[in-house]
Amino acid sequence: FGKAFKIDPTDSNAAVGQAGAIENATSSHMEKASKYLLDSRYSDVISECEMVLKYQSDNKQAQDYITEAKNKLSVEVDRHYAAGKAFAQKGKSLQAIDEWNLALQMDPNNLKIQKAIKSVSVKRNDRVRALIAEGDEYFKAKDYSDALMSYLKAKDVDPKSSAVKACLKKINSRQKAEIDT
């Protein structure tokens, strides 16, 4: 519609079509932003509202959503950072890294958290054991897809681990038995 309007500024259909398309896009992005805000997906809120501001730079609701999301995002990231720091001080490096990874999911460019993760050393065997334990919990709950994901992460950490191979064999057998049943 924009191209048609540029070619013929007197074409009222192009002007109306362009305005309608912008209004529909804005409504769609704001609806998504609202849902993301309720789900605490603050980075997604910001992305959707920035799309709205490309169409309507003075959209007050989008600006307010961005401000609210940035404030909440900062609080959540700080909370996960503090929890990770507390775990690290207690020598619980795996839990610290888990907390910091949650913070990085919300704020991927946070240098303070990236530095904190790099400063913690975790033994490969400890990481594998933690992932196997996580997978075992999912397995007990009969959540085989999440169990498999945990076991595969453990395999990525140590591809030669016999414990990981045993877990993968166990879940494969269980899934095969359930499929056969």
Side-chain angles (χ1 to χ4, degrees):
F1 291 120
K3 287 181 182 179
F5 188 68
K6 283 182 184 178
I7 292 171
D8 184 6
T10 61
D11 185 354
S12 62
N13 289 333
V16 170
Q18 182 178 12
I22 289 172
E23 185 61 36
N24 288 338
T26 300
S27 296
S28 174
H29 289 298
M30 289 305 296
E31 185 177 318
K32 287 180 186 177
S34 179
K35 288 178 184 177
Y36 291 149
L37 194 58
L38 292 173
D39 292 340
S40 301
R41 293 174 53 186
Y42 304 120
S43 296
D44 293 330
V45 171
I46 294 167
S47 296
E48 290 296 328
C49 289
E50 286 174 347
M51 293 294 289
V52 170
L53 293 178
K54 286 181 183 178
Y55 299 120
Q56 299 174 343
S57 60
D58 62 341
N59 188 305
K60 179 74 171 130
Q61 186 179 18
Q63 293 169 350
D64 290 345
Y65 274 23
I66 288 173
T67 302
E68 182 179 351
K70 284 182 178 179
N71 290 337
K72 288 183 177 183
L73 179 66
S74 175
V75 169
E76 288 292 313
V77 168
D78 289 344
R79 185 176 62 80
H80 286 295
Y81 175 74
K85 192 172 180 181
F87 280 127
Q89 289 171 346
K90 293 177 185 175
K92 298 180 177 183
S93 55
L94 291 176
Q95 291 92 335
I97 289 175
D98 287 342
E99 286 293 330
W100 290 332
N101 280 332
L102 288 172
L104 277 181
Q105 287 176 354
M106 292 181 216
D107 187 5
N109 300 320
N110 191 311
L111 296 177
K112 177 174 72 171
I113 296 169
Q114 291 174 357
K115 183 179 175 184
I117 287 175
K118 287 178 184 175
S119 71
V120 174
S121 62
V122 179
K123 294 180 183 173
R124 182 172 52 175
N125 290 340
D126 290 342
R127 184 70 180 143
V128 169
R129 276 195 297 261
L131 288 167
I132 288 174
E134 178 183 277
D136 289 344
E137 289 298 316
Y138 288 128
F139 189 84
K140 287 177 190 172
K142 296 185 179 186
D143 184 353
Y144 302 125
S145 62
D146 284 336
L148 180 60
M149 293 303 296
S150 294
Y151 296 148
L152 290 174
K153 286 179 188 176
K155 182 180 178 188
D156 288 342
V157 173
D158 186 3
K160 296 179 181 179
S161 169
S162 59
V164 173
K165 290 177 183 176
C167 290
L168 288 170
K169 186 176 180 180
K170 172 180 71 173
I171 198 165
N172 187 26
S173 297
R174 177 61 62 94
Q175 287 179 322
K176 186 174 180 349
E178 292 210 3
I179 289 171
D180 290 346
T181 302

